[in-house]
Amino acid sequence: MTHNRHLMDDYDDYENLYDPLKNDRQTRRSRKAKAGKHTPKKSESAIRAELAPIGGTEGGFETTYRPSRYEEGWLLNSLRDFYRQEYITDVLALVRGGKEASVYRCAARPGLGIDLLAAKVYRPRQFRHLRNDKMYREGRGILTLDGQDLNQSLHNDRVMRAIGKKTDYGKQVMHTSWLMYEFTTLQTLYNIGASVPRPVAASPNAILMGYIGGPTHAAPALSDVELDKDETQALFDETLRNIELMLMHGMIHGDLSAYNILYWEGQITLIDFPQVTSSQGNSQAHMILQRDIERVCDYFASQGVERDPAPILRRMWKQHVERREQDVAADLSRLTAEAE
Ligand SMILES: Nc1ncnc2c1ncn2[C@@H]1O[C@H](COP(=O)(O)OP(=O)(O)OP(=O)(O)O)[C@@H](O)[C@H]1O
Ligand SMILES: [Mg+2]
């Protein structure tokens, strides 16, 4: 699609400037190679200016981790609130730079009950790799930083207009909503006993959560692990338990696979929830759940647990989605009958 292509062009330029995994020389080389074929829409300085929209770099803090020149402003601005609110005292290392966000290992304030925290810093919205987020947004409201749904708020006219007109402010609201879905989902799931990192705090560009892994190495994803024969069945069951628990609360992960399940000391942890989908309000919910279950079954099949995803999907859908719809329909007809 032309529109997406256009966004990806912007993103590529940004990648070259920002990607912490590339060094400066590589960056310059690859930008040179592209010269002639493609004129960047924005100059380097314009992009850099946009990387520090939250009040400049003043008031930055010293970190053990040395960010690259292009990463620094965005990183420190995004994490400054957590530092000021004394959730973190230091940024220790980059865990991974992904398409959508970079995750950093941070030192937690003593007394918080955990030593290490993971800060997921979202890429600037204009460079975020959009995974067709419109599809996931159907049936969801717009969440503000306090976790409230804008549609439920009385004084939302100005914000709704900004979103409709796609002003910078409106886009920032949508960006924050996207990550607030990740944060509020973690809160709900953590409280109901799902295997997810403990949510700690959220800011307009970042979330802070429990860190999975050791002091020098973060937990690998299942996709990078060969499981022992005697643990596969239990881990498969645990994954299904989490999918089912979510569904019981009207949620579908939406991007579940062995890449978004971490493995550490015999336990799994599900991560990466911004695209969480409503099982009741989204017309694609069935397909999205099917894809999650199939990907999970694919991975466990590669580890020796062969299970047909179709009956698992059928049972869960029937039990937790159709039944719920029937309950709502029954409630409605009862209420109508009572009113007559
Ligand atoms: N709580 C955590 N503890 C330890 N490592 C984490 C944690 N959360 C995320 N990570 C690491 O950071 C990576 C990226 O996180 P996540 O999947 O949430 O972001 P993403 O934008 O989807 O990135 P990608 O495009 O790479 O999937 C994960 O694959 C994992 O390696
Ligand atoms: Mg991921």
Side-chain angles (χ1 to χ4, degrees):
M1 237 164 57
T2 359
H3 183 58
N4 276 343
R5 180 66 217 136
H6 171 81
L7 277 168
M8 285 310 288
D9 280 357
D10 278 357
Y11 181 77
D12 285 347
D13 295 332
Y14 170 65
E15 276 266 81
N16 286 334
L17 285 171
Y18 175 75
D19 193 334
L21 301 178
K22 286 187 180 180
N23 65 32
D24 278 1
R25 192 152 10 104
Q26 273 177 317
T27 303
R28 275 198 299 275
R29 205 183 307 136
S30 69
R31 292 180 73 216
K32 215 166 166 187
K34 283 177 77 183
K37 271 202 298 183
H38 169 71
T39 324
K41 281 191 73 210
K42 285 184 182 143
S43 70
E44 177 178 331
S45 54
I47 292 173
R48 277 218 256 159
E50 271 181 284
L51 292 182
I54 321 170
T57 46
E58 75 277 2
F61 52 99
E62 285 294 308
T63 59
T64 301
Y65 170 68
R66 291 269 149 251
S68 72
R69 212 149 37 96
Y70 301 114
E71 184 189 8
E72 191 174 13
W74 183 250
L75 173 67
L76 298 187
N77 278 318
S78 301
L79 296 187
R80 188 184 294 126
D81 284 353
F82 300 150
Y83 185 75
R84 286 200 179 138
Q85 294 157 2
E86 299 187 354
Y87 287 113
I88 59 171
T89 55
D90 195 2
V91 181
L92 301 170
L94 171 72
V95 172
R96 232 188 87 167
K99 280 267 183 234
E100 177 131 317
S102 293
V103 172
Y104 299 86
R105 178 165 58 242
C106 300
R109 164 173 56 83
L112 208 61
I114 338 184
D115 290 341
L116 296 171
L117 291 170
K120 180 170 177 176
V121 179
Y122 284 70
R123 304 204 139 194
R125 59 181 152 73
Q126 55 276 61
F127 301 111
R128 189 155 60 75
H129 173 66
L130 297 172
R131 358 174 191 191
N132 185 16
D133 63 353
K134 206 168 164 200
M135 174 167 94
Y136 303 102
R137 285 206 315 263
E138 186 195 336
R140 309 199 309 189
I142 297 163
L143 294 185
T144 55
L145 202 52
D146 56 8
Q148 301 300 312
D149 185 345
L150 252 185
N151 296 307
Q152 311 291 327
S153 120
L154 289 176
H155 306 289
N156 65 3
D157 292 5
R158 193 176 63 88
V159 188
M160 289 316 233
R161 258 200 314 277
I163 293 170
K165 284 190 183 159
K166 298 199 164 96
T167 64
D168 273 359
Y169 174 61
K171 287 183 194 161
Q172 178 62 42
V173 171
M174 292 306 286
H175 176 76
T176 300
S177 171
W178 182 253
L179 72 91
M180 279 311 290
Y181 266 96
E182 170 139 52
F183 189 70
T184 53
T185 301
L186 281 180
Q187 286 179 313
T188 307
L189 293 180
Y190 189 78
N191 287 335
I192 60 177
S195 310
V196 298
R198 170 178 150 191
V200 175
S203 76
N205 283 312
I207 66 169
L208 199 58
M209 61 186 144
Y211 164 84
I212 318 295
T216 54
H217 286 91
L222 274 185
S223 51
D224 289 328
V225 174
E226 287 290 323
L227 297 175
D228 283 347
K229 256 205 184 93
D230 57 358
E231 62 182 345
T232 35
Q233 184 64 52
L235 292 179
F236 181 59
D237 292 344
E238 174 62 0
T239 307
L240 292 183
R241 179 186 77 89
N242 277 280
I243 296 176
E244 188 153 4
L245 200 54
M246 290 189 73
L247 207 54
M248 288 165 77
H249 291 80
M251 293 180 275
I252 301 168
H253 184 290
D255 191 23
L256 196 62
S257 72
Y259 294 96
N260 280 329
I261 303 176
L262 302 181
Y263 175 86
W264 190 249
E265 295 177 340
Q267 307 285 330
I268 55 147
T269 305
L270 274 59
I271 57 162
D272 204 2
F273 293 93
Q275 70 292 316
V276 67
T277 301
S278 157
S279 64
Q280 305 288 326
N282 190 306
S283 58
Q284 315 265 355
H286 188 269
M287 179 278 287
I288 295 172
L289 178 64
Q290 177 176 0
R291 198 181 53 188
D292 279 2
I293 295 178
E294 281 174 357
R295 284 179 178 167
V296 163
C297 288
D298 278 354
Y299 169 76
F300 280 96
S302 78
Q303 303 296 306
V305 180
E306 294 279 355
R307 283 279 297 277
D308 183 357
I312 301 174
L313 172 69
R314 235 184 346 261
R315 181 188 67 75
M316 285 197 196
W317 188 262
K318 204 165 175 191
Q319 203 165 333
H320 303 298
V321 185
E322 283 177 357
R323 215 206 262 143
R324 245 199 200 201
E325 281 166 2
Q326 282 163 9
D327 287 350
V328 173
D331 280 354
L332 263 178
S333 62
R334 185 173 47 77
L335 288 173
T336 320
E338 278 172 14
E340 281 165 4

